[in-house]
Amino acid sequence: MTDLVFPPSFLWGAATAAHQVEGDNASSDWWEWEQRPDTPCVDRSGVACDHYRRYPEDVATLATLGLNTYRYSVEWARVEPVEGSIARVELEHYVRMTDAVLGAGLTPMVTLNHFTLPNWVARRGGWMDPATPALFARYCDVVVRALGDRVDWYCTINEPGVVAFGGYLGALGFPPGTHGASSWERAIAGLVKGQRLSRAAVKNARPSARAGATHSMQAWEPDAGSRPLVEYLRRLNEDVFLEASEADDFIGVQTYTRVPVHLGEPARTILRLALRSRRLMRLAAPPVLIRQAKDPAAGAAKGARLTQMGYEFAPEAVAATIRRVAELLPGRDIIVTEHGVATDDDAERVEFIDRGLAAIHGTIGDGLPVRGYVHWSAFDNFEWARGYSMRFGLVGVDRTTLERTVRPSARHLGAIARAGRLAPWRAQADGSAAAG
Ligand code: BGC
């Protein structure tokens, strides 16, 4: 059997997000959310990985491994901690950091919004406030001009569907923790507009940059009775945002699992009746969706292998979502901007990478324009409401000393990246791939 060879200009990377790794992101909504007495967060982000100060060492590690891309985010709450007042020193920080990324030989891929908002934006209603999209675009303009010709790849809004579903429908313990269809729909409208305005701001400030939103997508596998609910959810959670990406230069695909959906009674009957009217569906669907989100294992096939997050270990699910994007937006470049697994067994991460990459290679073989693979995450980090015990890192971070440990999976992905190829025996779908 021959190796699975990837295209020569393929982007091979690892990702982080500012709030999850930098530490002390004190002007953000998430920081405040974590401090509340009734917070759903199991940990506070605190010093996180201290990446704000340790980035030179961290960036060097990623480059040494053999990766060629680093995806990280610029924090709006740092750059504009008070409305209209730009913290030049923070912009300079991100310029220095980007210079370090370039200096190490890595391509910077910069996310402009990864879940967090400055507190002053959150207090006005966050993504529900009709003013937020334009305020966000104004901040994007400032960042893109400051980074100038250093950056060619921008991710505008990360997982808008998760932001709306997790925080404004209240399904994932994200801020602002509102509930119900109306706040959900208002946030969706704001995020869609934010996607469009931020892309325009990036292209206006730097026409040659490539800009795109990054989308959380699941490989949904509903039975016949559950299909209407899944279609309703997928529309609000994924499709409206993919439609708003129609003019993006690339589509970021982020897939962690497959989701078999087998609704029991009475949910099935209630939803079948509710489907007859949009008004009823708005009332009936949210509680069912929240219940599903809170117990991801409930939908998993019996005896299925689960990750620390409680959902199925399904590395190949990413191929289904790539194929869906290619159907909805034919010909558009696709980058897998996140794919990864929370586990304490690093051999599982190696297997996840190998099986995922083999599936992605299959989509390239079918002629789909997949341009890169960015693994989540470079480092163990603050997994939002789930805290620090979810370990997604190629590089481990000791919570007491913050000492970094490069895991075998990091060397493994680095070696694949350097060679641009994967040995096929590593990627057998029966899970027999060995740790390297
Ligand atoms: C997010 C990351 C998160 C990861 C793992 C994605 O939803 O973009 O911030 O840590 O998934 O759950």
Side-chain angles (χ1 to χ4, degrees), residues 225-247:
S226 312
R227 188 169 295 280
L229 178 72
V230 165
E231 276 165 11
Y232 171 84
L233 170 65
R234 193 168 61 180
R235 163 110 217 107
L236 293 175
N237 232 19
E238 299 180 7
D239 295 2
V240 287
F241 302 108
L242 287 165
E243 279 164 22
S245 271
E246 142 210 80

Side-chain angles (χ1 to χ4, degrees), residues 20 114-115 158-159 254 256 309 338 376 383-384 392:
Q20 295 179 271
H114 198 121
F115 292 176
N158 181 68
E159 300 191 342
Q254 315 196 149
Y256 286 84
M309 295 290 282
E338 288 184 25
W376 185 272
E383 179 53 31
W384 308 110
F392 277 96

Side-chain angles (χ1 to χ4, degrees), residues 365-385:
D366 291 341
L368 304 189
V370 184
R371 308 292 179 217
Y373 174 84
V374 180
H375 190 81
W376 185 272
S377 174
F379 306 97
D380 284 346
N381 62 48
F382 178 71
E383 179 53 31
W384 308 110

Side-chain angles (χ1 to χ4, degrees), residues 260-400:
V261 185
H262 308 290
L263 286 179
E265 292 295 352
R268 272 171 112 97
T269 308
I270 295 172
L271 287 164
R272 208 181 48 242
L273 295 173
L275 258 183
R276 296 187 187 154
S277 118
R278 200 178 97 83
R279 209 165 55 85
L280 280 181
M281 194 63 177
R282 287 176 80 237
L283 287 176
V288 179
L289 295 174
I290 293 173
R291 222 172 307 122
Q292 281 272 133
K294 295 224 154 99
D295 186 10
K302 215 169 173 330
R305 182 172 162 197
L306 304 180
T307 79
Q308 286 180 330
M309 295 290 282
Y311 47 65
E312 262 191 62
F313 182 96
E316 291 89 358
V318 67
T321 53
I322 288 173
R323 289 182 198 284
R324 182 144 202 276
V325 168
E327 254 173 56
L328 294 174
L329 297 163
R332 191 66 41 84
D333 278 357
I334 295 170
I335 299 179
V336 176
T337 39
E338 288 184 25
H339 178 254
V341 58
T343 175
D344 270 333
D345 175 359
D346 193 53
E348 280 204 316
R349 193 172 347 270
V350 169
E351 181 188 339
F352 197 89
I353 290 170
D354 286 345
R355 287 173 49 186
L357 282 175
I360 292 167
H361 189 270
T363 68
I364 298 174
D366 291 341
L368 304 189
V370 184
R371 308 292 179 217
Y373 174 84
V374 180
H375 190 81
W376 185 272
S377 174
F379 306 97
D380 284 346
N381 62 48
F382 178 71
E383 179 53 31
W384 308 110
R386 306 290 300 274
Y388 284 110
S389 55
M390 302 292 113
R391 278 180 275 272
F392 277 96
L394 293 166
V395 176
V397 177
D398 183 289
R399 284 310 318 147
T400 313

